[in-house]
Amino acid sequence: MTFDHSIKIAPSILAADFADFGRECEAIEAQGCDWVHVDVMDGHFVPNISFGPQMCKAIRPHIRGVMDVHLMISPVDAYLESLAEAGADIITIHAEAGPHLDRSLQYIRSLGAKAGVALNPSTPPEAIEYVLDRIDLVCVMTVNPGFGGQSFIDSQLPKIARLVEMIGEREIHIEIDGGVTTDTAGNCAAMGADVLVAGSAVFKGGSVAAPEVYGANIRAIRKAAQAAI
Ligand code: DX5
Ligand code: ZN
């Protein structure tokens, strides 16, 4: 993975057909997405269960580019090795998921993956102040994690700007996750975000039988973001 600040669209397969993940991943990549965002939920850290490391391993051969795994689980350390073995390029953990964030981030990098930290809406940006040199990505949650299709929380926009200041020259992606649409993507990009996760807004109206809808949705979000920079 090389680093750049260009806008990257990362569809969340939480909004895809769960019975057909392989072909769904192939369809969104063929339609021009940049990364594939994979949401792992445990029914404990968040009030929903999605799937685990075995599913990540099963879909990996269907993803040619970056597999961006977002762990909404606690505790997290016991699952990091199997997710790295499953082929995750980026493993993002929540700052709120345990007391030893620094150790978990070191562990992720030692496994050969890029390390990310996600911040819930109520968590201040300063939660990552002392781990900035251990991360490759910060994920600003613009909904409370657990479900797709929720409304974007506008109060998170100043958090993006603050993170840009804190990050300075470091090569750290700023990812936005939750409620990203053509209406909200512009503000995110204007504040300095470069990775836009979108579930509902990419998959709405399309299917593996009608993948061109995914392409149109991806292009519309990218256009809205780029127009704001
Ligand atoms: C929410 C997940 C998101 C979710 C986004 O907990 O982390 O990745 O799939 O879905 P939308 O884009 O529909 O808000
Ligand atoms: Zn996510």
Side-chain angles (χ1 to χ4, degrees):
M1 270 184 76
T2 53
F3 183 88
D4 69 60
H5 283 293
S6 65
I7 295 294
K8 289 163 279 293
I9 308 297
S12 161
I13 61 167
L14 197 64
D17 178 355
F18 269 47
D20 209 358
F21 273 149
R23 290 201 299 164
E24 291 276 42
C25 290
E26 289 165 7
I28 50 177
E29 284 199 325
Q31 292 295 323
C33 79
D34 299 283
W35 295 1
V36 176
H37 185 83
V38 179
D39 288 304
V40 175
M41 302 180 180
D42 66 355
H44 164 73
F45 179 69
V46 290
N48 192 13
I49 298 174
S50 57
F51 47 78
Q54 275 182 290
M55 180 63 86
C56 296
K57 189 174 182 180
I59 62 176
R60 176 72 260 194
H62 301 273
I63 300 171
R64 299 163 80 122
V66 172
M67 181 170 169
D68 172 34
V69 176
H70 176 194
L71 297 181
M72 286 158 276
I73 66 176
S74 175
V76 71
D77 288 0
Y79 301 95
L80 295 175
E81 188 174 6
S82 58
L83 284 156
E85 276 172 9
D89 296 289
I90 305 169
I91 301 177
T92 295
I93 60 178
H94 267 262
E96 309 85 3
H100 302 297
L101 182 61
D102 183 276
R103 178 188 289 150
S104 300
L105 292 168
Q106 289 190 58
Y107 187 31
I108 292 170
R109 281 188 167 173
S110 79
L111 293 166
K114 301 281 186 195
V117 179
L119 303 175
N120 279 339
S122 63
T123 301
E126 286 73 22
I128 61 164
E129 187 172 2
Y130 298 107
V131 294
L132 282 168
D133 291 320
R134 300 216 190 276
I135 64 174
D136 304 288
L137 177 146
V138 56
C139 175
V140 178
M141 293 305 304
T142 42
V143 298
N144 287 289
F147 303 96
Q150 303 181 82
S151 298
F152 188 91
I153 301 174
D154 283 319
S155 66
Q156 300 306 298
L157 289 169
K159 190 189 285 186
I160 303 171
R162 175 73 188 117
L163 286 166
V164 169
E165 282 176 9
M166 289 169 62
I167 287 168
E169 297 300 309
R170 294 176 182 87
E171 293 193 345
I172 298 176
H173 296 288
I174 300 182
E175 177 175 75
I176 308 301
D177 188 3
V180 173
T181 65
T182 51
D183 291 333
T184 56
N187 282 340
C188 299
M191 288 291 169
D194 65 310
V195 186
L196 302 178
V197 175
S200 327
V202 166
F203 287 94
K204 68 170 185 209
S207 69
V208 292
E212 62 283 353
V213 178
Y214 298 160
N217 291 341
I218 290 166
R219 284 191 296 278
I221 299 166
R222 192 191 303 281
K223 190 174 164 196
Q226 286 174 338
I229 303 174

